[in-house]
Amino acid sequence: MEEEDGRAQYTPVCDVPTHVLKFGRIEHNRGQVLILIIPGNPGIIGYYQRFMEVLYRCGDERVPVWGLSHAGHVTTPNTGQYLESDFYTLEGQIKHKLSFVEENVPGDVKLVLVGHSIGCYIILKMLEKLDSHRVLRCFLLFPTIERMAASPKGQVSVPLLKYFRWLSILLSYLASYFSPHVQYRMILWYFQGRPVAECAYNASMNLFDPFCVRNIMNMANEEMKEVTELNTKLVSDYMSKLSFYYGLEDSWCPRDYYHGMKEQFPHADIQLCEKGLEHAFVLEGNDDMAGIVWSWLQKDLHKVTD
C-alpha cells in the first residue's frame, strides 16, 4: 500500500526506532533530488510538518521532502521499554543521521540538507563523512554553529542545564500521569493567543515523556560544552555548498555572529532575515521560511535538471 504523505513512520536507525516524516517518494530517475530536514533541539520532526508540507508544495510535489527526529526525542509506539543508546548524545546524533542516509537514500540521489539550529552543526559534521558529490546544497537556518554558551540565550541556559535540568525531567515525569486530554489542554494554554501551526501542538505531546525530556536536556547541555569556536576550516572547505540564514533578533546566534561570518567569508552566501522570523520559526513562520528556502534552491535544481 502506498504511504500517505506526512504520515508518521517509525524506522529503525542504528536500532533506535526513529520518527520519520515523508512528503513524496524517491523515484529512480536521472536527476532525482531529496530535501532532507535535520531538526534543532528538541529534535521532534513533527514541529516541522507544516514547513515540510509547504516546501513540498512549492516544488509542485516533484521534489520529495523528508525529515527525521533525533534519536530518543520522540515517544515511539509499541516499543515495550526504552533502551539506552550511545546515539542519544550529540556525537551519536551525527552518526544517527549518517546511518539514515546510508540505509534509506540511494547513492545516485542528490541531497539538499536543510538544518535548523543545532541541526546546522550536525550537517557540517555530516559533510566530513558524506561523499561530497552526493550533496547538492546545504541550507543552515538560524545556525547554532559557534559559541552557544556565550550567546545571550546560552548564558542563561548554561547554569539551568548544569544544575536544574533534573527539574524539567521531574516535571515531565509528574505530568506524564495526566491524561492525554489534560496534557493537550496544557499545550493549548501555553500557546494561547499565538497563531501557532497545528502540528506544533501534537509535537509538543512528546515533552510529557520523561525519557525524551531527559535526552533533550542532556543533549542541550552537551551543546553548550561542545559548540564553541567556529570550525572555520570546515566551513571554508564546503563553502560552495553552504547557505546561511541568520535572524534579525536571535538570542542563540545574535547579529554579531552574522557580521563575524560575513567578515570571515565575504563571498559566502550568508543572509540576514528581513521578515523578522523567530529562531523557532516552526511555530509561526513556516510558510515564509519554506518560500525563502525554495527560492534559494532554484539555481541548484536547474543545475541538476538542465
Side-chain angles (χ1 to χ4, degrees):
M1 186 171 66
E2 185 174 324
E3 294 171 347
E4 181 182 340
D5 285 333
R7 175 177 291 175
Q9 303 172 41
Y10 293 90
T11 302
V13 181
C14 306
D15 295 325
V16 178
T18 302
H19 181 199
V20 179
L21 197 58
K22 295 181 180 181
F23 288 90
R25 295 180 298 167
I26 292 177
E27 304 290 347
H28 295 283
N29 55 21
R30 184 176 176 275
Q32 175 70 74
V33 174
L34 171 68
I35 300 174
L36 183 64
I37 311 297
I38 308 297
N41 187 7
I44 302 168
I45 199 61
Y47 280 119
Y48 298 79
Q49 182 168 351
R50 173 68 185 179
F51 169 69
M52 293 173 62
E53 183 177 6
V54 175
L55 189 57
Y56 182 52
R57 290 177 178 173
C58 284
D60 296 325
E61 302 184 359
R62 291 179 287 106
V63 181
V65 180
W66 294 5
L68 70 158
S69 293
H70 293 327
H73 285 212
V74 172
T75 303
T76 54
N78 304 319
T79 54
Q81 61 179 346
Y82 290 115
L83 301 175
E84 296 303 317
S85 173
D86 293 336
F87 294 100
Y88 301 150
T89 65
L90 181 56
E91 180 65 28
Q93 299 293 355
I94 298 165
K95 296 176 182 177
H96 177 258
K97 306 306 174 293
L98 287 167
S99 295
F100 176 83
V101 171
E102 183 67 28
E103 296 168 8
N104 296 275
V105 183
D108 58 345
V109 173
K110 293 289 187 180
L111 285 167
V112 173
L113 300 175
V114 179
H116 172 226
S117 194
I118 196 62
C120 303
Y121 177 86
I122 291 173
I123 285 175
L124 287 178
K125 291 294 188 178
M126 290 173 66
L127 289 175
E128 293 183 300
K129 302 294 183 181
L130 287 171
D131 182 347
S132 62
H133 296 294
R134 296 192 68 181
V135 181
L136 180 64
R137 197 73 176 168
C138 301
F139 297 101
L140 308 184
L141 312 178
F142 306 94
T144 53
I145 56 176
E146 60 172 312
R147 295 177 286 164
M148 283 191 71
S151 68
K153 197 80 169 181
Q155 291 178 45
V156 175
S157 300
V158 165
L160 293 177
L161 288 167
K162 184 176 182 180
Y163 298 111
F164 297 106
R165 66 180 184 273
W166 61 268
L167 182 59
S168 297
I169 300 169
L170 175 61
L171 292 174
S172 177
Y173 175 78
L174 295 174
S176 69
Y177 285 95
F178 297 155
S179 70
H181 174 75
V182 171
Q183 292 172 348
Y184 196 79
R185 297 296 298 179
M186 291 172 67
I187 294 169
L188 291 175
W189 172 83
Y190 180 80
F191 287 123
Q192 65 180 333
R194 299 180 61 183
V196 172
E198 184 177 351
C199 59
Y201 299 125
N202 293 325
S204 296
M205 291 291 285
N206 292 283
L207 302 180
F208 291 102
D209 186 329
F211 174 81
C212 296
V213 171
R214 187 194 69 176
N215 292 328
I216 289 167
M217 300 301 288
N218 287 346
M219 179 174 159
N221 190 47
E222 280 190 79
E223 292 167 25
M224 299 302 115
K225 299 175 182 177
E226 296 186 24
V227 184
T228 54
E229 296 304 311
L230 178 68
N231 189 331
T232 53
K233 184 181 185 305
L234 182 57
V235 172
S236 181
D237 287 347
Y238 295 97
M239 185 54 72
S240 63
K241 296 181 182 293
L242 300 175
S243 295
F244 299 85
Y245 193 83
Y246 285 83
L248 275 173
E249 302 293 337
D250 188 342
S251 296
W252 281 114
C253 38
R255 207 181 308 183
D256 61 310
Y257 288 17
Y258 159 79
H259 290 301
M261 284 288 290
K262 292 287 285 186
E263 185 176 337
Q264 290 186 77
F265 306 101
H267 304 296
D269 190 9
I270 306 171
Q271 295 190 22
L272 188 64
C273 177
E274 297 179 351
K275 293 181 175 291
L277 297 179
E278 295 183 2
H279 184 89
F281 72 87
V282 293
L283 297 180
E284 300 178 49
N286 291 287
D287 293 26
D288 285 336
M289 194 74 257
I292 291 167
V293 171
W294 182 253
S295 64
W296 222 345
L297 180 57
Q298 293 311 296
K299 61 182 179 181
D300 297 292
L301 290 177
H302 287 309
K303 292 176 186 177
V304 176
T305 58
D306 288 351

